[in-house]
Amino acid sequence: MAPAAANVSQFAILFGNEEIEKNDYNLSVSTYVEKEDTGEVIDIKVLNQEIAETVRKIDVLRASINEIVKEMDDGE
C-alpha cells in the first residue's frame, strides 16, 4: 500500500499551500494532476498501406461487377 502522501503519476501529487495559493485556491484535481494519455498510437505508413490494399480490392470487385452487368446487358 502506498503511503498517504505519495505522488502517483497521473493520479495524485502532493502540493504545499503556496502552490495552491498560486492557483487561486483552485482545488480541482485537473489543475495539479495531468491526465494520462490513453490515445491509440497509429502507424500512418501501415495505415496508408492497408487503405491502398483495400482500394485495390475494391477496384477488382468493381471491375468484376461491371463485367457481370455488361454480360447481363449483352444477354438481353
Side-chain angles (χ1 to χ4, degrees):
M1 186 161 107
N7 290 337
V8 180
S9 177
Q10 297 161 338
F11 182 72
I13 192 163
L14 180 63
F15 279 106
N17 291 337
E18 300 82 23
E19 185 69 25
I20 295 170
E21 183 180 3
K22 280 196 292 188
N23 287 310
D24 295 325
Y25 299 96
N26 181 349
L27 298 178
S28 173
V29 173
S30 62
T31 302
Y32 304 96
V33 179
E34 186 175 327
K35 185 177 177 185
E36 180 179 11
D37 181 7
T38 58
E40 181 182 354
V41 177
I42 298 173
D43 184 337
I44 193 71
K45 289 181 181 180
V46 170
L47 180 60
N48 280 337
Q49 289 172 347
E50 290 172 356
I51 291 170
E53 180 60 27
T54 300
V55 168
R56 280 190 287 276
K57 289 178 182 179
I58 290 170
D59 289 343
V60 167
L61 290 172
R62 192 173 288 147
S64 295
I65 291 170
N66 288 342
E67 190 62 35
I68 291 168
V69 170
K70 184 177 183 245
E71 290 173 6
M72 291 172 56
D73 284 344
D74 290 344
E76 289 182 12

